[in-house]
Amino acid sequence: MSEKPDEVMRAVEATLFASEDALTVEVLAGHLGGIDAAEVREALHALEEYYRGRGIHLVERGKRWHFETAPDLAHLLRREREQVRRLSRAATEVLAIVAYHEPVSRAEIESIRGVQTSAGTLDVLMEAGWVKLAGRREVPGRPVIYATTPEFLEHFGLSSRRDLPGIDELRAAGLLDPVDDALEAAMDREEEADSGAEEDAEEYSSESQA
Amino acid sequence: MSEKPDEVMRAVEATLFASEDALTVEVLAGHLGGIDAAEVREALHALEEYYRGRGIHLVERGKRWHFETAPDLAHLLRREREQVRRLSRAATEVLAIVAYHEPVSRAEIESIRGVQTSAGTLDVLMEAGWVKLAGRREVPGRPVIYATTPEFLEHFGLSSRRDLPGIDELRAAGLLDPVDDALEAAMDREEEADSGAEEDAEEYSSESQA
Amino acid sequence: MNEDGLLFDAPQADDAEGGWIGPAGSKGADDALYLELDGWEGPLDLLLDLARRQKVDLRQISILALVDQYLGYIERAEALRLELAADYLVMAAWLAYLKSALLLPRDEQEEPSAEELALRLQLRLQRLGAMREAAARLMGRDRIGRDIFLRGAPEGIRIDRKTQWKCDSFALIQAYGQVKARTAPRIYHVFDRPVMTLESALERVSAMLGVTLDWMDLREFLPKHAEPRLRKSALASSFVAALELARQGRAEIAQEEIFGSLRLRRIGQ
């Protein structure tokens, strides 16, 4: 590693940096006008050495040279930002219906819920990894049917779907009592704040009349 | 100049190299997740130093950092096809007035230039991303005011508006003050001196201190 | 803003370049006064150009000389029958006035004084000149994409947002309960209410009318001691019954005033 880069090194460095494509030694030499290819090659190797251990590397691929991010830092280029969001009420309902009735088609889910279900709701559940496509029902129209996944059981701490409380137990626990309007309104508001539930807001207002 | 770059330096280097846009310290710190802004700033200055004298420089323009080729290598890199928009004389003048006087209203621009500014002129500068609307001046009529953008500083290689060529001299000479203020100051001087010659050089240079 | 209304209160030309083109070949005919093919951006621009030719600092230009040069220029342009934009002529007229005022003894001058006007013009020229120079210096800098280059093929950095969905089993079960509760078949109970049907009212009213020939108030037909809700129903039914009897020609109805008591009498046969 030379302490002070010479002019050829500087020129090669800047040219490769500004170039949209990887460049061969010949193209570089041509571009820099009258510089010997051997000199360019020497500069490239010096630079390669110079950048070793830095955040950027100078690399040769198929005789063409270019700069790239150091492989161990590749994760910096594609960062993932996790955000935790509460499932919207509509999605929770759909998930519950899938769990209790699986495999079910979307039409069946809608008929059980009594309201239309937006396509996005099932997408969210599939993205969450809790619901999966489970083939098609062999009836006219061959609708897609949905079922829960092992991840679903795991997330909700169930060893099997049979662990889900039955209707009688739900009733005994008071869970079949209609929610009062105030609570419903409060929950809607909470969901809005949570976002992701825009498409459901209208559903709820129509539900309350249902 | 540290012999071996530390991990923050490497990460900052790689991120700025890969980024399509110039980045602020805050954005960098955010992107690198949990790294202190002060630490990022320190790394930036170390890198800036590190790249000094090389073919690529790390520079700060309007609080945003990016890598660019060294200015002295322009002769090697200058492209045949003109990539830079050619501005009309009117546009360059308006750009200079906005830069040196910002924020400035259109009427103020016109009063300096002595002609109306055609609608296209400011549009061209805004389209280039160099001038932006900067709100309204709270005077009767609430005129829209204009200012330059970080992209303007970036394009012209200015760290900040303080780097505008000759701005300190212009300010010291009162040439950035409105004509009315300068006139008043000059008249005061004249009364004191009680001499009427408009060509009196000393008098006018004394304006600058006023 | 019209701080310089004195100078420019006339309509100004648009700043289209080249709107002011001299004949080719005239360039260089006179060192001080040639017609530029490029033209100027208005009178102030022309004045600045002329002032620059005095080859002195803008702070030291002679306004009188400048005025003469401008007026000479305009005259020359007119001699060549060039279309002059109105604001050039306005400026010429104003400068002619300024010149004559400057030549007057000072105590005969009006306010603002000619010196003040001249100074103002000079200050404006200085400011325009300063900006023109600044623009040139700005444009002459090393510019991105011309002299200085950014990375040609940046990989780009991106932040992918991944959502971690949260829900617990109680919320799940509760949601199912709500679906069931909402969609469960509902049983409606309708309670019997004490009413007097139209048939029974008709029977009752006609029976009671048969007893007397006198006018009777409708209220007298209502069952006494009935509970209020039954009374209401009976009043409504009896009223309709009275209308029906009147229609059949078996009774007549009278009412003295709006909302007054309704009286009923049998029509004798």
Side-chain angles (χ1 to χ4, degrees):
Chain A
M1 169 174 157
S2 63
E3 263 311 290
K4 213 165 152 43
D6 66 22
E7 284 312 299
V8 179
M9 264 175 79
R10 290 185 71 232
V12 168
E13 188 178 32
T15 307
L16 279 177
F17 171 84
S19 171
E20 284 165 26
D21 308 299
L23 302 176
T24 62
V25 171
E26 290 69 32
V27 169
L28 270 167
H31 187 86
L32 299 178
I35 295 185
D36 195 54
E39 224 179 322
V40 170
R41 196 168 287 115
E42 200 182 304
L44 282 166
H45 287 295
L47 282 167
E48 185 183 21
E49 192 55 42
Y50 192 94
Y51 277 97
R52 197 183 301 283
R54 301 194 58 85
I56 311 155
H57 291 171
L58 181 61
V59 293
E60 181 187 7
R61 297 233 196 292
K63 300 204 176 300
R64 287 143 73 93
W65 292 80
H66 72 274
F67 280 110
E68 64 177 34
T69 309
D72 66 311
L73 297 175
H75 64 279
L76 292 176
L77 308 188
R78 296 277 173 276
R79 296 228 73 142
E80 283 205 344
R81 202 52 57 84
E82 291 243 308
Q83 57 182 158
V84 176
R85 273 166 63 177
R86 202 169 65 91
L87 209 55
S88 74
R89 187 171 147 191
T92 310
E93 279 184 16
V94 171
L95 179 61
I97 292 167
V98 174
Y100 273 89
H101 296 263
E102 75 177 44
V104 288
S105 70
R106 187 161 149 189
E108 288 160 353
I109 294 169
E110 291 184 351
S111 105
I112 295 167
R113 277 190 78 210
V115 283
Q116 276 203 346
T117 300
S118 74
T121 310
L122 274 160
D123 285 352
V124 162
L125 295 173
M126 288 197 280
E127 187 203 314
W130 294 336
V131 166
K132 64 176 183 215
L133 296 176
R136 292 178 178 275
R137 198 181 302 296
E138 291 305 333
V139 295
R142 304 186 66 242
V144 167
I145 48 179
Y146 300 89
T148 54
T149 62
E151 290 79 38
F152 162 78
L153 294 176
E154 199 180 318
H155 183 91
F156 290 90
L158 303 165
S159 52
S160 88
R161 283 179 51 242
R162 280 196 301 274
D163 286 0
L164 288 169
I167 292 293
D168 292 339
E169 289 162 291
L170 291 180
R171 183 171 294 120
L175 288 170
L176 290 189
D177 299 339
V179 263
D180 67 54
D181 290 348
L183 178 60
E184 201 159 335
M187 291 185 73
D188 276 352
R189 222 172 300 125
E190 206 174 319
E191 254 155 27
E192 264 167 49
D194 248 8
S195 91
E198 306 86 62
E199 77 271 25
D200 298 316
E202 273 184 73
E203 267 169 41
Y204 285 129
S205 56
S206 60
E207 272 168 37
S208 39
Q209 268 99 293
Chain B
M1 175 170 150
S2 64
E3 267 307 291
K4 217 170 143 40
D6 66 18
E7 283 311 298
V8 177
M9 263 173 81
R10 290 186 73 230
V12 168
E13 187 179 31
T15 305
L16 278 178
F17 223 71
S19 175
E20 280 150 358
D21 306 300
L23 302 175
T24 61
V25 170
E26 290 68 31
V27 168
L28 267 168
H31 185 82
L32 298 177
I35 295 186
D36 197 52
E39 224 177 323
V40 170
R41 197 168 288 118
E42 199 180 304
L44 283 166
H45 288 294
L47 282 168
E48 183 183 25
E49 192 54 43
Y50 194 94
Y51 275 93
R52 198 183 299 284
R54 301 195 58 84
I56 309 162
H57 291 170
L58 179 60
V59 294
E60 182 185 11
R61 303 281 181 251
K63 299 204 180 300
R64 310 191 319 171
W65 292 78
H66 72 259
F67 279 108
E68 63 178 33
T69 56
D72 66 309
L73 297 173
H75 63 286
L76 288 175
L77 303 170
R78 205 165 276 144
R79 314 239 159 111
E80 302 81 60
R81 53 196 165 98
E82 184 92 350
Q83 287 200 324
V84 175
R85 181 195 288 278
R86 275 203 77 82
L87 289 179
S88 70
R89 188 157 74 107
T92 59
E93 227 170 85
V94 170
L95 179 62
I97 293 170
V98 173
Y100 284 78
H101 291 82
E102 75 175 50
V104 67
S105 71
R106 189 163 160 157
E108 287 158 354
I109 296 170
E110 294 182 348
S111 109
I112 293 171
R113 297 189 61 229
V115 281
Q116 282 190 356
T117 303
S118 73
T121 309
L122 275 161
D123 280 2
V124 162
L125 296 174
M126 288 199 278
E127 198 195 317
W130 294 338
V131 167
K132 64 173 184 220
L133 296 177
R136 292 178 179 277
R137 201 185 295 298
E138 291 306 333
V139 296
R142 302 186 71 241
V144 166
I145 46 179
Y146 299 89
T148 54
T149 62
E151 286 79 12
F152 162 77
L153 296 175
E154 206 170 299
H155 182 89
F156 290 95
L158 303 161
S159 303
S160 75
R161 277 189 61 240
R162 278 197 302 271
D163 271 8
L164 283 168
I167 192 168
D168 290 338
E169 293 85 338
L170 290 175
R171 188 172 290 131
L175 286 171
L176 299 181
D177 300 335
V179 169
D180 282 341
D181 296 0
L183 187 69
E184 210 168 303
M187 300 299 283
D188 289 350
R189 284 267 153 219
E190 204 171 327
E191 262 164 45
E192 271 172 43
D194 193 34
S195 93
E198 67 270 15
E199 291 106 330
D200 190 340
E202 268 185 8
E203 227 169 76
Y204 290 119
S205 60
S206 63
E207 267 167 45
S208 42
Q209 275 93 292
Chain C
M1 168 151 157
N2 195 16
E3 66 174 23
D4 298 301
L6 256 174
L7 293 186
F8 289 105
D9 51 3
Q12 306 195 347
D14 56 9
D15 65 346
E17 286 168 276
W20 166 223
I21 295 171
S26 65
K27 184 169 178 169
D30 183 328
D31 193 40
L33 288 171
Y34 62 82
L35 297 172
E36 270 196 346
L37 285 170
D38 286 342
W40 286 272
E41 291 201 39
L44 199 64
D45 191 17
L46 171 56
L47 276 169
L48 180 60
D49 200 4
L50 293 170
R52 282 256 165 80
R53 287 177 210 190
Q54 292 187 8
K55 295 199 169 64
V56 288
D57 191 301
L58 279 182
R59 288 174 305 197
Q60 296 173 32
I61 51 164
S62 156
I63 288 288
L64 271 179
L66 183 62
V67 168
D68 284 340
Q69 285 162 2
Y70 185 93
L71 295 177
Y73 182 87
I74 296 297
E75 266 169 35
R76 195 179 165 80
E78 282 178 332
L80 290 165
R81 299 174 185 278
L82 290 178
E83 278 292 323
L84 279 180
D87 52 346
Y88 286 88
L89 299 175
V90 170
M91 176 63 93
W94 184 82
L95 288 175
Y97 161 78
L98 178 63
K99 181 183 172 185
S100 62
L102 282 172
L103 295 175
L104 278 179
R106 216 178 177 189
D107 49 0
E108 288 176 29
Q109 287 179 9
E110 294 170 22
E111 282 294 317
S113 70
E115 276 76 20
E116 188 182 328
L117 296 175
L119 179 56
R120 179 182 279 274
L121 176 60
Q122 194 167 20
L123 291 171
R124 292 195 68 192
L125 289 173
Q126 280 176 31
R127 274 155 185 71
L128 180 59
M131 281 304 105
R132 191 151 293 173
E133 250 162 58
R137 290 173 75 177
L138 205 52
M139 292 301 139
R141 288 182 67 82
D142 287 331
R143 290 163 65 183
I144 300 271
R146 188 183 70 177
D147 314 289
I148 302 229
F149 296 86
L150 303 177
R151 188 159 176 218
E155 291 98 334
I157 54 174
R158 204 176 71 207
I159 293 175
D160 297 330
R161 296 199 182 277
K162 193 164 163 26
T163 306
Q164 179 87 51
W165 292 101
K166 188 181 78 175
C167 186
D168 58 36
S169 55
F170 177 73
L172 185 75
I173 292 160
Q174 188 190 43
Y176 190 67
Q178 288 313 316
V179 170
K180 281 305 194 187
R182 197 168 65 220
T183 57
R186 290 189 193 167
I187 299 157
Y188 293 94
H189 296 280
V190 180
F191 296 98
D192 280 340
R193 285 178 54 193
V195 290
M196 178 181 283
T197 62
L198 182 56
E199 286 76 28
S200 59
L202 206 54
E203 217 168 276
R204 187 180 160 91
V205 172
S206 55
M208 287 175 76
L209 273 182
V211 179
T212 171
L213 275 169
D214 291 338
W215 287 99
M216 280 177 73
D217 195 287
L218 185 63
R219 290 175 200 286
E220 293 176 55
F221 294 91
L222 305 184
K224 297 188 169 49
H225 315 299
E227 58 136 334
R229 283 201 296 178
L230 179 59
R231 258 182 93 78
K232 241 182 195 168
S233 167
L235 178 64
S237 302
S238 302
F239 173 63
V240 177
L243 293 176
E244 176 62 17
L245 291 170
R247 191 183 68 81
Q248 291 174 6
R250 292 164 61 194
E252 53 184 338
I253 303 175
Q255 187 180 32
E256 249 89 78
E257 53 180 349
I258 295 172
F259 298 123
S261 62
L262 205 63
R263 291 180 302 146
L264 210 57
R265 183 171 75 171
R266 176 164 62 115
I267 294 177
Q269 280 151 348

